[in-house]
Amino acid sequence: EPEVTQTPSHQVTQMGQEVILRCVPISNHLYFYWYRQILGQKVEFLVSFYNNEISEKSEIFDDQFSVERPDGSNFTLKIRSTKLEDSAMYFCARRGRGASQETQYFGPGTRLLVL
Amino acid sequence: EDKVVQSPLSLVVHEGDTVTLNCSYEVTNFRSLLWYKQEKKAPTFLFMLTSSGIEKKSGRLSSILDKKELSSILNITATQTGDSAIYLCAAIPMYSGGGADGLTFGKGTHLIIQP
């Protein structure tokens, strides 16, 4: 099954700036997820999004983060006032369909570097 | 707190060897386990295991879940240099509807296959 695409592939920003990471589904999906992976560490769940609403969020997903689907298609993760420790790979994932509906398929990721 | 532990954390073998990677989990409302391969960027899906004792196979890779021992193994036979990657396992909680199924990942096993 095709995954999702993500833009940008890399982003460098200054501490305190806002960034918006985008996830573009290849076909119509309802379930999306954001994960992050700090260099050398494990993949961590941030938030899940179902039918245009947040359905679950982790402790990491505090007020600094927000998600939305502004145009009914692209799915965005906004990080307000970035900190050095936000530097990580951010992955968008979507749930499979039919027999694969419990599987999550990952996009290529956005590498965020906060200076 | 849900936890997934993988061992070993790293492994170096020679081409042609067989390897066994381990994953154990402590997850409330456990539903299924996923195995992923991570090379340069995004995790790519390998297997989903839901039922205990039923082996899943794909080419030289196979995996099995033991719900009694709360663990899973991933076997790779006749390893090739292209198998070099980080292998991740992740637990899926019981599906409660509405997308509340963020994955809990282990730290991964970094496998290096030497020619």
Side-chain angles (χ1 to χ4, degrees):
Chain A
E1 289 196 46
E3 298 88 5
V4 294
T5 62
Q6 291 184 241
T7 60
S9 58
H10 294 81
Q11 174 127 20
V12 181
T13 191
Q14 295 291 322
M15 196 168 58
Q17 296 295 306
E18 175 183 283
V19 295
I20 297 176
L21 311 182
R22 288 183 175 78
C23 176
V24 183
I26 294 174
S27 57
N28 199 20
H29 292 285
L30 292 177
Y31 296 88
F32 292 93
Y33 309 81
W34 282 103
Y35 293 84
R36 79 172 184 192
Q37 187 176 30
I38 296 170
L39 188 62
Q41 297 188 26
K42 62 181 177 180
V43 178
E44 299 173 293
F45 169 69
L46 292 176
V47 65
S48 59
F49 196 78
Y50 165 66
N51 205 23
N52 298 326
E53 287 186 1
I54 289 176
S55 54
E56 185 190 16
K57 53 186 181 179
S58 71
E59 290 175 358
I60 303 168
F61 194 88
D62 58 22
D63 293 342
Q64 185 195 7
F65 295 91
S66 62
V67 289
E68 60 179 11
R69 203 167 186 188
D71 55 7
S73 176
N74 295 346
F75 175 47
T76 63
L77 174 69
K78 185 188 291 185
I79 310 175
R80 285 182 280 275
S81 189
T82 48
K83 300 179 273 208
L84 296 177
E85 54 264 38
D86 294 326
S87 296
M89 280 291 286
Y90 288 82
F91 295 109
C92 172
R94 60 136 183 106
R95 195 192 280 182
R97 285 183 164 151
S100 304
Q101 66 177 330
E102 289 185 46
T103 302
Q104 294 181 24
Y105 297 92
F106 284 73
T110 293
R111 184 174 296 282
L112 176 65
L113 179 60
V114 182
L115 301 176
Chain B
E1 185 186 327
D2 293 346
K3 198 164 62 169
V4 173
V5 177
Q6 292 186 245
S7 65
L9 291 181
S10 65
L11 185 59
V12 181
V13 300
H14 287 101
E15 220 170 4
D17 288 351
T18 292
V19 297
T20 298
L21 311 183
N22 302 287
C23 175
S24 64
Y25 59 90
E26 289 176 31
V27 174
T28 44
N29 298 321
F30 173 82
R31 167 71 179 158
S32 303
L33 198 94
L34 298 171
W35 281 97
Y36 290 90
K37 179 181 182 182
Q38 186 175 29
E39 295 176 90
K40 298 227 162 44
K41 279 195 171 181
T44 53
F45 171 72
L46 293 175
F47 296 112
M48 185 181 77
L49 305 160
T50 303
S51 301
S52 205
I54 297 175
E55 187 183 54
K56 292 260 179 116
K57 208 167 161 57
S58 175
R60 296 176 293 103
L61 276 67
S62 63
S63 185
I64 196 162
L65 179 67
D66 185 339
K67 283 186 170 179
K68 218 173 180 179
E69 297 295 326
L70 306 184
S71 66
S72 173
I73 59 171
L74 174 69
N75 281 317
I76 309 175
T77 59
T79 51
Q80 302 170 357
T81 54
D83 295 327
S84 295
I86 297 173
Y87 290 84
L88 304 172
C89 83
I92 308 173
M94 189 69 68
Y95 175 55
S96 58
D101 52 354
L103 301 179
T104 300
F105 278 86
K107 288 184 177 178
T109 293
H110 189 183
L111 178 64
I112 297 172
I113 311 296
Q114 290 182 335

